[in-house]
Amino acid sequence: MSYPENIALVDCNNFYVSCERLFRPDLLNKPVAVLSNNDGCIVSRSQEVKDLGVKMAVPVYQIKHLVKQHNIQLFSSNYPLYADLSARVMHSLNAFSPSVDIYSIDEAFIDLDRYSGNPTALGLDIKSSLSRWVGIPVGIGIGPTKTLAKLANYAAKKWPKTGGVVDVGDLQRRKKIMQITPVSEVWGIGRQINKKLNKLGIKTVWELQSQSVAAIKKHFNLTLAQTVQELQGNPIISFNEKSKPKQQIICSRSFKDKINNQQELAQTISVFCLKAAEKLRAQGGVAQQVSIFIRTSPFDKKRFYSEKATYKLKSGTQDSRDILKIAKKLLSSIYLPAYEYQQAGVILSDIKPRNDEVCKQEDMFNLVSQDSGKSLQLMKTIDDINTRFNNRISFASTGSKMLQQSIPINKSKLYTTSWEEIALVK
């Protein structure tokens, strides 16, 4: 596939908060934030919350005084609602381009090559249309590479006078934006690399893009060298490439209430096993290594305990029963009584595509199912039923545990995916 000469990044503004406000217009211009799983941290903020100095991922308990003082409206995550509205945004983008490269739940790159008019005018049309069709506000950055489109999107959100759309195709405009933008705002520049660049006197995007690619590769790494190439207008990051299967699947949670009972901890880990195995089968892989970890609170210094155990299989498996058996044995090997555990998780790794060569080998300790044909059919049947009937089939080892470990404090309704919770107009 040829690389497009003009790319637009469409990025939803404060996406989770925008989804909540879509069905609660009374929250417009008021401070709103959405919380992570188990209501632990801030994962989405309205501009009003950002203006109060609240950072991303800050634990809620650290800003209790601000929540009370400014009446910040907090919502538990409502992923079915966010996923549905994201699908509507992505589907709508097809009206403007036949090639949409979805990057995340709230971002997508689109190919503008088939459009012969002014790119900024098209960006404004897209922004206006998404507001009317879906109700979600977006910012749009346009450039010849993905990294430049990201930079343009930053400028579109940073300076409201742009109307929420910035095109850096013009070299003079691109240079001006680069000269006033900190290098920390470049896509992929983390805190440590930013510090190192600053020590070398590289503080703006312009100063970074002016560096020799070879020198950056020598003193940093290939990834940063590719970033410099992209900033110089040379496309390196692929467009619309098929995503690669994950090499590792992790399912873990921090518990709202600490666990001091091995059976209860085993049930919780069993839930994680089933979820991880389901993801593994969805990508058509088999895992040859299973790990579990358990830990107490790091703030409980007198009684802190953290341990991990791993089992390497002779053959790959995607059977939930195999993973449950292994996880149970691993837990028995590292569990210590008299501790209060706050976090646990399951890691499936050494993942390979499912094929006969991997599956036909027998496990030394007979921990994997021997009849792969029946195993595959059984797992497929369970997945099909759970997909259709919302996880109605589970295993006895999970007891009454579910993946969600706490009751959401303020979860909005499933306005777009449930007839019982559809929005009413009075």
Side-chain angles (χ1 to χ4, degrees):
M1 178 181 175
S2 60
Y3 199 91
E5 294 183 359
N6 225 7
I7 296 172
L9 171 63
V10 181
D11 185 7
C12 301
N13 298 344
N14 313 322
F15 181 56
Y16 293 172
V17 168
S18 295
C19 293
E20 300 293 348
R21 281 176 163 171
L22 182 60
F23 296 95
R24 289 284 308 277
D26 58 302
L27 296 178
L28 290 173
N29 303 317
K30 294 180 180 177
V32 180
V34 175
L35 307 178
S36 61
N37 288 327
N38 289 351
D39 298 328
C41 302
I42 303 289
V43 294
S44 183
R45 304 158 296 162
S46 67
Q47 188 58 49
E48 295 78 10
V49 174
K50 294 177 184 177
D51 292 341
L52 292 173
V54 177
K55 304 295 184 184
M56 274 292 282
V58 66
V60 178
Y61 73 86
Q62 291 184 5
I63 61 163
K64 277 185 176 178
H65 60 292
L66 291 175
V67 172
K68 185 176 181 180
Q69 182 180 354
H70 299 278
N71 192 27
I72 299 176
Q73 300 294 305
L74 299 177
F75 286 88
S76 300
S77 298
N78 186 348
Y79 294 115
L81 175 66
Y82 310 151
D84 184 63
L85 291 175
S86 172
R88 296 184 188 201
V89 170
M90 303 308 169
H91 178 74
S92 299
L93 292 176
N94 288 314
F96 300 95
S97 173
S99 185
V100 177
D101 185 353
I102 299 174
Y103 177 66
S104 66
I105 192 170
D106 61 350
E107 291 178 281
F109 295 94
I110 62 174
D111 175 358
L112 300 184
D113 279 0
R114 293 193 182 185
Y115 182 74
S116 58
N118 184 300
T120 301
L122 176 61
L124 290 170
D125 187 18
I126 294 172
K127 181 177 169 64
S128 171
S129 299
L130 289 177
S131 178
R132 292 197 314 274
W133 298 344
V134 189
I136 298 296
V138 300
I140 297 177
I142 301 170
T145 69
K146 282 188 171 180
T147 303
L148 285 172
K150 272 274 192 180
L151 178 66
N153 192 275
Y154 163 81
K157 292 187 175 181
K158 178 73 174 177
W159 294 289
K161 287 185 178 179
T162 61
V165 179
V166 169
D167 177 12
V168 294
D170 178 80
L171 293 179
Q172 288 303 316
R173 190 178 201 196
R174 186 189 308 173
K175 180 179 179 180
K176 185 177 178 181
I177 290 174
M178 285 182 167
Q179 287 175 329
I180 60 175
T181 302
V183 71
S184 59
E185 298 298 337
V186 174
W187 190 21
I189 301 288
R191 187 180 304 173
Q192 295 304 320
I193 290 181
N194 181 49
K195 282 184 181 178
K196 192 173 177 181
L197 287 169
N198 288 172
K199 284 184 179 179
L200 294 173
I202 302 172
K203 297 183 178 180
T204 67
V205 181
W206 178 253
E207 290 167 342
L208 178 61
Q209 79 88 40
S210 302
Q211 302 300 311
S212 156
V213 173
I216 291 294
K217 186 177 179 181
K218 180 180 179 182
H219 295 289
F220 291 88
N221 52 48
L222 176 62
T223 302
L224 187 59
Q226 291 176 334
T227 297
V228 172
Q229 287 179 280
E230 287 251 322
L231 289 173
Q232 293 171 347
N234 303 313
I236 301 296
I237 302 173
S238 59
F239 188 89
N240 235 349
E241 187 179 60
K242 187 177 180 181
S243 61
K244 297 178 180 178
K246 294 180 180 177
Q247 297 301 304
Q248 186 181 66
I249 295 173
I250 302 175
C251 189
S252 67
R253 289 287 188 280
S254 292
F255 312 133
K256 186 176 183 181
D257 298 316
K258 296 175 183 176
I259 297 176
N260 57 7
N261 176 287
Q262 183 174 357
Q263 183 181 0
E264 186 179 0
L265 192 57
Q267 291 175 346
T268 302
I269 288 177
S270 294
V271 176
F272 298 158
C273 287
L274 296 183
K275 190 64 180 175
E278 183 182 313
K279 292 181 178 179
L280 179 67
R281 292 191 293 271
Q283 72 172 44
V286 294
Q288 291 187 273
Q289 185 164 293
V290 179
S291 304
I292 71 161
F293 66 86
I294 55 175
R295 62 176 63 117
T296 60
S297 170
F299 300 105
D300 190 3
K301 294 179 181 177
K302 292 183 180 178
R303 303 292 296 169
F304 180 66
Y305 175 71
S306 177
E307 193 55 84
K308 177 182 175 183
T310 298
Y311 185 84
K312 180 78 173 176
L313 291 93
K314 292 293 182 182
S315 58
T317 185
Q318 60 171 204
D319 192 315
S320 297
R321 298 169 298 174
D322 299 333
I323 296 169
L324 286 171
K325 280 191 289 187
I326 294 169
K328 187 177 180 181
K329 284 182 176 292
L330 292 176
L331 177 62
S332 296
S333 70
I334 61 174
Y335 179 83
L336 292 180
Y339 282 90
E340 293 188 324
Y341 296 94
Q342 191 177 48
Q343 188 181 27
V346 173
I347 305 170
L348 303 182
S349 54
D350 200 1
I351 295 174
K352 302 185 184 309
R354 180 174 60 81
N355 57 57
D356 292 338
E357 185 178 356
V358 173
C359 293
K360 71 183 180 182
Q361 300 176 49
E362 294 188 358
D363 185 78
M364 183 176 179
F365 298 102
N366 196 28
L367 283 175
V368 301
S369 302
Q370 300 303 304
D371 192 334
S372 60
K374 289 185 177 178
S375 167
L376 292 173
Q377 186 57 49
L378 176 61
M379 291 302 112
K380 182 179 184 306
T381 302
I382 291 175
D383 290 342
D384 289 346
I385 292 173
N386 281 338
T387 299
R388 184 174 179 184
F389 297 106
N390 192 24
N391 296 323
R392 294 295 178 87
I393 292 185
S394 187
F395 287 75
S397 60
T398 65
S400 59
K401 290 286 182 184
M402 298 179 68
L403 192 59
Q404 185 71 36
Q405 295 298 309
S406 65
I407 299 173
I409 61 171
N410 186 23
K411 187 175 180 180
S412 54
K413 295 181 179 180
L414 300 174
Y415 296 108
T416 62
T417 57
S418 171
W419 285 111
E420 288 75 21
E421 299 183 23
I422 195 168
L424 299 176
V425 178
K426 297 181 179 178

